[in-house]
Amino acid sequence: MSTEPVDLTTALDTFDALWSPRVLARVNDHDVRVAKVRGEHVWHRHDNTDEFFLVLSGHLDIALRAPDRVVTLPRGSVFVVPRGAEHKPSSAEGATILMVELTGTLTVGDRHDPLPGHVDVTTGHEL
C-alpha cells in the first residue's frame, strides 16, 4: 500500500468493472475498498465480520433477511450490515460505494447463493 494520499476520483477512474472492489488503503486489519455497482449482487453473509458501506454517488439498496427489509442509502449515507446478517446489495441506476471490511474478506461472504457471472469473487483488487 502506498504511503501517499489517494485521490478518490482518480482511483475510481482507473476501473470500470462492476461489483469488483479496489483496495484504496489498509487501516490496521481492515481494507478500505471502493466499487462501482449496478444491478444486483447476490444474497450472502459474512459470519465473522460487519460490513461498512458509504455511498459516494447514486443510491444503494441493501435487502436484509430476518427481519425482511430493504435499507435505501442515498449519496452520503452510511450503513453497517452486522456480522451474520444475510444481505443483498443492489442499485438499479448504479452507484459508487466505499466499504470497510476485514482484510481477506470475500465479496461474496462465507455463505452465498449461486454466483452470477457479473459478480467478482475477490478479496479486493489493488489499485
Side-chain angles (χ1 to χ4, degrees):
M1 286 277 99
S2 174
T3 57
E4 296 300 316
V6 176
D7 180 83
L8 199 49
T9 301
T10 301
L12 288 165
D13 285 345
T14 65
F15 68 99
D16 291 318
L18 299 175
W19 301 109
S20 184
R22 302 304 192 259
V23 178
L24 287 179
R26 291 201 168 84
V27 180
N28 299 317
D29 56 351
H30 286 73
D31 288 344
V32 178
R33 303 175 183 175
V34 290
K36 295 177 180 179
V37 301
R38 186 178 321 109
E40 295 185 347
H41 197 264
V42 63
W43 281 104
H44 68 286
R45 72 184 209 196
H46 305 279
D47 291 334
N48 299 309
T49 186
D50 299 335
E51 189 171 16
F52 171 95
F53 290 89
L54 165 63
V55 178
L56 302 171
S57 69
H59 83 272
L60 182 72
D61 292 323
I62 301 177
L64 298 164
R65 290 186 174 152
D68 286 338
R69 70 182 180 129
V70 176
V71 176
T72 298
L73 304 171
R75 184 177 61 85
S77 295
V78 169
F79 183 72
V80 175
V81 174
R83 74 188 69 201
E86 194 171 11
H87 61 288
K88 180 169 91 170
S90 65
S91 179
E93 302 298 322
T96 57
I97 59 176
L98 182 142
M99 298 162 291
V100 178
E101 300 179 286
L102 279 172
T103 298
T105 299
L106 283 173
T107 54
V108 296
D110 302 305
R111 299 169 195 218
H112 53 79
D113 279 356
L115 297 173
H118 71 276
V119 173
D120 185 13
V121 179
T122 181
T123 57
H125 301 284
E126 299 297 324
L127 274 177

